[in-house]
Amino acid sequence: MNIEKGYIDAEIPDGIDLKSEIRKMCIEKNAVILAHFYQKGDVQDIADFVGDSLDLSRKAAETDADVIVFAGVKFMAETAKVLSPEKTVLLPDLNAGCSLADSCLPSDFKAFTESHPDHLVITYVNTTAAIKALSNICCTSTNAVAVVESLPVDQKIIFAPDKNLGNYINGLTGRNMLLWDGACHVHEEFSLERILLMKKEFPEAKIICHPECQKPVQIVSDFIGSTSALLKYVQDDATQTYIVATESGILHQMRKNVPLKMFLPAPPNDSTCACNDCEYMKLNTLEKLYNCMKYMAPEIILTDDLRFKAEIPIRRMLEID
Ligand code: 13P
Ligand code: SF4
């Protein structure tokens, strides 16, 4: 089957119930669907497990399924392959990249780390396997503080690729990590000015954001956390209205888990764009999921050398908490 476009572009038979066919294939092929909170609502709803990037990597390491279908982006599927090399790992659309991962290229990063030989390297999981292979330990936004604090206080550290998360963690831990100059195009797009205007309109609302947002947005936020931390916060907190500064997919879980509360997507700088959507995350659709399971492609393939090198920092991270 041709995957020139990065996904299987086969026609879907007329009149089939995509959701039940996908679930049927999960049983027939002993497959598990892992979906990130930023996926489209219908993709999240069909998954066996929906979670943040840390939970998803744990699930990928633990599952006894033969096939992992990753409804997320490529770095997440690569992490699953690194942790479960004997399994078939499928990604419905190989074009599902990540602007943050793209902001850190292996040749530049290698030169950067070599120019600071006394520093240990912590990389956020939002990196390619090639960058992980150049790292000492990985982290996600859920466990970044624990990972940093697992190293001696006087240890010099390079943190990459997200400078906003890095700055935030520096503030929480009192460290002075050297930061790579990378960022996510979705989280950098939120407009402080328009968020404050929204707050004027909804004075009772709490502002919550992901640490990939820029510092001014973090400063006005009542709570800052990873996708799973944001979700937990809105469930546990007594407030009824939230201005949510992260990718729009999380709103699906928030509305599902606390249907009586109001969730307002934080406005981006450009009011005409769908900037709250990560266009990479949103490439996955039920149609592509169906075709990818039917034809068992596209598959994530990594060389043994890359896999062995990338596994070390990921396993170190998973051992921490
Ligand atoms: P989480 O680790 O909070 O799930 O975030 C992943 C991500 O891609 C943020 O943009
Ligand atoms: Fe990458 Fe940003 Fe999309 Fe997350 S939201 S996957 S960091 S581009």
Side-chain angles (χ1 to χ4, degrees):
M1 191 40 75
N2 188 350
I3 53 159
E4 233 171 59
K5 292 181 177 172
Y7 59 92
I8 304 275
D9 192 16
E11 217 166 288
I12 307 280
D14 273 348
I16 66 160
D17 178 349
L18 273 179
K19 290 183 184 170
S20 67
E21 291 301 320
I22 289 171
R23 291 308 318 165
K24 232 191 272 170
M25 284 193 282
C26 283
I27 296 167
E28 285 163 14
K29 298 177 189 244
N30 190 24
V32 68
I33 302 175
L34 304 182
H36 188 263
F37 288 130
Y38 293 165
Q39 291 294 289
K40 290 172 194 275
D42 55 2
V43 173
Q44 293 189 38
D45 290 345
I46 197 126
D48 294 276
F49 181 78
V50 189
D52 70 7
S53 41
L54 180 62
D55 290 334
L56 292 172
S57 56
R58 285 212 180 101
K59 286 281 167 197
E62 286 162 8
T63 181
D64 53 12
D66 295 318
V67 179
I68 298 173
V69 186
F70 221 107
V73 290
K74 198 168 175 197
F75 74 79
M76 296 177 173
E78 279 187 351
T79 303
K81 185 68 186 175
V82 167
L83 292 170
S84 288
E86 73 294 352
K87 300 190 194 311
T88 302
V89 177
L90 304 174
L91 182 68
D93 189 335
L94 288 177
N95 301 304
C98 166
S99 61
L100 180 52
D102 288 347
S103 68
C104 191
L105 299 177
S107 54
D108 299 343
F109 192 59
K110 191 164 185 290
F112 182 66
T113 55
E114 283 173 357
S115 63
H116 299 93
D118 52 346
H119 286 58
L120 283 184
V121 180
I122 302 181
T123 50
Y124 195 28
V125 286
N126 297 39
T127 49
T128 58
I131 293 293
K132 290 184 176 83
L134 297 169
S135 312
N136 297 103
I137 183 162
C138 286
C139 74
T140 72
S141 49
T142 293
N143 63 14
V145 169
V147 168
V148 171
E149 287 185 339
S150 73
L151 301 179
V153 227
D154 54 354
Q155 174 63 55
K156 290 180 180 166
I157 300 170
I158 287 175
F159 186 90
D162 192 276
K163 61 181 173 193
N164 297 313
L165 174 65
N167 253 318
Y168 175 65
I169 302 299
N170 270 343
L172 288 183
T173 58
R175 306 280 175 122
N176 186 23
M177 299 185 292
L178 192 55
L179 308 180
W180 182 259
D181 187 17
C184 157
H185 71 305
V186 177
H187 290 88
E188 286 241 306
E189 248 324 284
F190 292 113
S191 156
L192 176 65
E193 204 185 331
R194 295 184 68 222
I195 288 176
L196 293 177
L197 283 176
M198 190 177 249
K199 172 82 177 166
K200 263 195 185 155
E201 204 184 325
F202 299 93
E204 74 287 7
K206 277 190 177 168
I207 303 170
I208 59 174
C209 82
H210 194 278
E212 285 175 23
C213 290
Q214 291 181 320
K215 192 160 189 178
V217 173
Q218 294 185 13
I219 288 172
V220 299
S221 291
D222 297 283
F223 181 74
I224 304 170
S226 63
T227 50
S228 54
L230 294 175
L231 192 58
K232 185 172 182 322
Y233 181 75
V234 301
Q235 286 168 201
D236 297 346
D237 180 58
T239 306
Q240 292 302 307
T241 310
Y242 299 89
I243 297 171
V244 184
T246 191
E247 210 273 350
S248 62
I250 192 78
L251 300 172
H252 177 72
Q253 283 301 319
M254 288 178 172
R255 289 177 180 140
K256 211 166 142 178
N257 293 2
V258 248
L260 297 180
K261 291 193 177 186
M262 178 151 76
F263 300 103
L264 306 163
N269 286 307
D270 178 355
S271 58
T272 62
C273 83
C275 306
N276 298 30
D277 289 342
C278 169
E279 69 264 36
Y280 304 110
M281 284 281 184
K282 299 300 197 260
L283 284 175
N284 296 320
T285 60
L286 286 185
E287 287 76 11
K288 285 181 190 163
L289 204 57
Y290 169 85
N291 273 335
C292 128
M293 293 186 75
K294 184 169 172 186
Y295 297 101
M296 298 293 281
E299 184 181 349
I300 298 291
I301 308 281
L302 297 173
T303 62
D304 282 347
D305 180 51
L306 184 56
R307 195 171 55 68
F308 292 146
K309 287 182 180 151
E311 184 175 2
I312 299 166
I314 301 173
R315 292 265 177 219
R316 281 195 187 125
M317 167 184 86
L318 293 176
E319 277 162 19
I320 282 184
D321 59 356

